[in-house]
Amino acid sequence: MAGTLNDPILHYVFDPLCGWCYAAAPLVQAARAVPGLTIALHGGGMMTGPNRRTITPQWRDYVMPHDRRIAQLTGQPFGEAYFDGLLRDTTAVMDSEPPTAAILAAEALWGRGLDLLQRLQRAHYVEGRRIADAAVLRKLATDIGLDGPAFAAAVDAHAGEPTREHFAASRALLARMGGGGFPSFALARGDGRLERIDASPWLGRPEAWQQHLAQAARQAA
């Protein structure tokens, strides 16, 4: 999400398959409405390489209490197609790399990375879609109005080593921020310092978060 050279920047380290990033989605949406604030997306690669996984009954049992807690805390919806469809599909693969490459492509071409992330989260948690599948990603991109062939070409250009380099840079930024995982937010100040912002007290309170960010952005500008 582009801004002017002197705009304060909210760095957001996320993963499209991270439940607590879905919990923070209303906060991200609220942050987009803060005047003069630029949001920089950094995919962390939570489920890549050896951390890729297929759905198992054990995984379903692990994530469901977290998902129920997220729904209770934030009001974020979870669909039957997710709980009783995707989370019971033992052939489905959880892989953060393809959806992150798609988000990078949408951001590079159209500045629409946040829009695609939001669509991917809904597709995963409400519609129970396999967001690591190329055909699903292309359909979701066209859902938000992106050109299908141009999107597919951009994803191909970002896939593989460019996305893995992005993950490495995001992890380095996360270490600089002092972040402990996903989601992590930090505000870049004019002197180059990064001020980490703990979003956990604001979950379910997007209006208050927006006011807090607006004040922090004014001080950082």
Side-chain angles (χ1 to χ4, degrees):
M1 194 172 155
T4 68
L5 191 61
N6 295 319
D7 281 347
I9 298 172
L10 181 68
H11 292 281
Y12 175 34
V13 186
F14 73 96
D15 190 272
L17 292 169
C18 162
W20 288 101
C21 295
Y22 182 53
L27 303 186
V28 176
Q29 193 64 17
R32 300 179 75 176
V34 174
L37 182 66
T38 297
I39 302 174
L41 282 170
H42 308 276
M46 183 177 76
M47 291 187 175
T48 56
N51 293 321
R52 291 168 72 247
R53 64 170 63 242
T54 54
I55 300 291
T56 63
Q58 292 78 17
W59 178 252
R60 183 178 189 272
D61 290 345
Y62 170 73
V63 299
M64 281 192 66
H66 292 282
D67 294 337
R68 300 289 191 201
R69 173 66 176 145
I70 289 166
Q72 180 184 43
L73 188 64
T74 68
Q76 284 287 76
F78 290 82
E80 287 185 18
Y82 168 71
F83 281 141
D84 294 323
L86 184 65
L87 288 185
R88 295 188 186 276
D89 183 358
T90 55
T91 67
V93 177
M94 306 276 280
D95 184 353
S96 300
E97 188 167 327
T100 302
I103 290 165
L104 295 177
E107 183 66 17
L109 276 192
W110 298 284
R112 300 281 309 275
L114 281 170
D115 293 333
L116 186 58
L117 172 59
Q118 184 179 43
R119 181 68 189 95
L120 294 179
Q121 289 172 322
R122 179 169 180 81
H124 180 75
Y125 289 106
V126 179
E127 300 163 15
R129 310 275 286 278
R130 296 186 181 199
I131 64 168
D133 289 6
V136 173
L137 287 169
R138 182 165 173 169
K139 174 62 171 65
L140 297 174
T142 60
D143 282 355
I144 65 167
L146 305 186
D147 178 77
F151 170 78
V155 171
D156 286 343
H158 282 85
E161 194 58 31
T163 297
R164 289 191 282 272
E165 289 175 357
H166 174 84
F167 289 149
S170 297
R171 295 294 183 121
L173 176 66
L174 189 63
R176 274 185 62 208
M177 289 165 54
F182 315 113
S184 283
F185 296 90
L187 193 66
R189 297 189 169 275
D191 59 6
R193 288 186 300 119
L194 286 174
E195 178 189 352
R196 184 175 171 231
I197 303 176
D198 181 7
S200 58
W202 307 99
L203 291 173
R205 303 168 56 211
E207 295 84 3
W209 160 262
Q210 188 180 72
Q211 293 169 6
H212 175 73
L213 273 186
Q215 181 178 5
R218 285 193 297 270
Q219 293 171 349

